[in-house]
Amino acid sequence: DVLYVVDEPDLRRATDSEHFRLARQFHRTLITLDHDYLDDVAFPPERSGGVLVLSAPDEERLLLLLKPRPNST
């Protein structure tokens, strides 16, 4: 169950603090490319369901990072 901010017009322009608050309210892990969330003072880890900040050198490698991989046994 995923909520994409870009699919919600009211959330697209919301502040980082609002996104953080909503993720906590909905008991969600926040997955983002925004390195601002690495600020533990502004976004305390103990007050969230988790924040995962992804990084890649370019869009192509980001897509590879996000691409589902088949299970290997």
Side-chain angles (χ1 to χ4, degrees):
D1 184 19
V2 176
L3 172 65
Y4 293 98
V5 170
V6 294
D7 293 339
E8 301 292 328
D10 293 340
L11 296 179
R12 276 190 217 158
R13 303 230 188 276
T15 64
D16 290 349
S17 296
E18 180 67 3
H19 290 151
F20 186 79
R21 185 191 69 75
L22 288 170
R24 181 176 181 201
Q25 177 184 333
F26 294 133
H27 304 283
R28 304 287 181 102
T29 299
L30 182 64
I31 302 173
T32 183
L33 298 171
D34 188 343
H35 288 105
D36 291 348
Y37 288 98
L38 296 174
D39 181 346
D40 289 351
V41 174
F43 306 104
E46 67 276 3
R47 296 191 57 216
S48 76
V51 177
L52 180 61
V53 179
L54 301 178
S55 183
D58 55 44
E59 186 176 350
E60 180 181 349
R61 290 188 187 125
L62 175 63
L63 293 173
L64 284 173
L65 177 68
L66 298 175
K67 183 178 177 180
R69 296 181 187 179
N71 292 336
S72 59
T73 55

